[in-house]
């Protein structure tokens, strides 16, 4: 799914933040792209849509006795407001790979959010800091002595989806959806058309038109209409 490393498109990130994971999921479906991961949820009630460029951190059990840097610390130090840290731990629910000190550092850098294929801890600190964190589980168990960082800014598996530099992610109370970098413009443009049509349908319902008629909508956007 990755399109190689590239600078984040700030305008595209802003457009993603004006959508939500449902609109992106529908647009991915329409284009035959499977990039919605099931399971990660906000660990505290996040009221806004989190979106940004994917910065990957892959972690796992120690493979050697060589010293290893702290999980995700280097990624935090080079990330900023257009970035979302995506941490892959194979869905492992029994050990945290994100905690309070990292949340403080990420907040200082203005990082948009964190998505974990596994567990996190120190939820009260991320909530007090206002840092959105999405994970499969919350546990008190530290990463120290259990897992180490294997790679950063490299393509990796996240719940069966390959994500990497150049991709984008949208996360909110509905779930988490990735957007392949190579397809981002057309996926976002289609999602914007979907949202516009759904807004018009909602207005028709508010005016009293039967919802059965509204939902049988012949004017709903199609991919064919988007093809020049």
């Amino acid at each position: 799914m990755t399109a190689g490393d590239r600078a984040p498109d700030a305008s595209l990130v802003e457009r993603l933040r004006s959508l939500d994971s449902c609109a992106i999921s529908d647009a991915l479906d329409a284009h035959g792209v499977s990039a919605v991961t099931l399971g990660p949820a906000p660990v505290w009630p996040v009221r806004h849509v989190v979106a940004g460029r994917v910065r990957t951190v892959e972690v796992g059990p120690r493979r050697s006795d060589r010293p290893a840097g702290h999980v995700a610390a280097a990624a935090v130090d080079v990330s900023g407001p257009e970035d979302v840290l995506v941490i892959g731990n194979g869905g492992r629910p029994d050990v945290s790979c994100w905690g309070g000190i990292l949340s403080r550092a990420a907040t200082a850098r203005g990082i948009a959010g964190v998505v974990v294929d596994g567990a996190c801890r120190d939820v009260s600190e991320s909530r007090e800091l206002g840092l959105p964190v999405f994970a499969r589980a919350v546990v008190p168990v530290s990463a120290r002595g259990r897992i180490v960082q294997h790679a950063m800014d490299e393509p990796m598996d996240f719940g069966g989806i390959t994500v990497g530099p150049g991709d984008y992610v949208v996360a909110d109370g509905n779930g988490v959806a990735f957007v392949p970098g190579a397809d981002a413009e057309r996926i976002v443009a289609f999602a914007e058309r979907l949202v516009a049509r759904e807004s018009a349908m909602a207005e028709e319902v508010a005016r009293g038109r039967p919802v059965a008629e509204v939902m049988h909508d012949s004017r709903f956007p199609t991919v064919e209409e988007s093809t020049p």
Side-chain angles (χ1 to χ4, degrees), residues 31-201:
H31 287 82
V33 178
S34 179
V36 174
T37 185
L38 304 180
V43 298
W44 59 271
V46 178
R47 305 297 185 193
H48 63 280
V49 175
V50 176
R53 177 180 67 167
V54 168
R55 296 211 71 137
T56 61
V57 176
E58 187 170 16
V59 306
R62 181 179 291 276
R63 295 169 175 168
S64 72
D65 293 331
R66 298 176 58 183
H70 191 285
V71 168
V76 170
D77 284 340
V78 297
S79 297
E82 308 299 328
D83 295 316
V84 174
L85 297 187
V86 177
I87 303 175
N89 192 24
R92 187 174 170 181
D94 61 338
V95 56
S96 169
C97 41
W98 184 266
I101 300 299
L102 289 172
S103 288
R104 293 184 182 279
T107 302
R109 298 284 305 176
I111 292 171
V114 181
V115 178
V116 182
D117 187 15
C120 69
R121 69 177 195 172
D122 298 326
V123 172
S124 59
E125 285 187 66
S126 62
R127 180 174 57 241
E128 290 168 4
L129 292 162
L131 178 73
V133 179
F134 298 75
R136 297 186 186 279
V138 178
V139 297
V141 182
S142 170
R144 197 174 300 277
R146 296 183 173 88
I147 55 174
V148 296
Q149 179 168 310
H150 289 172
M152 168 182 151
D153 284 340
E154 297 287 343
M156 68 174 193
D157 177 83
F158 192 112
I161 301 167
T162 300
V163 297
D167 295 333
Y168 294 85
V169 60
V170 176
D172 55 29
N174 297 295
V176 177
F178 296 103
V179 180
D183 299 322
E185 179 58 44
R186 64 180 181 136
I187 295 292
V188 171
F190 192 80
E192 290 171 336
R193 292 177 57 210
L194 290 174
V195 169
R197 184 58 199 145
E198 287 182 345
S199 295
M201 293 166 70

Side-chain angles (χ1 to χ4, degrees), residues 12-19 24 49 51 168 170 179 188:
L12 190 66
V13 170
E14 285 305 310
R15 290 166 65 192
L16 284 166
R17 289 172 180 166
S18 72
L19 299 167
I24 293 298
V49 175
Y168 294 85
V170 176
V179 180
V188 171

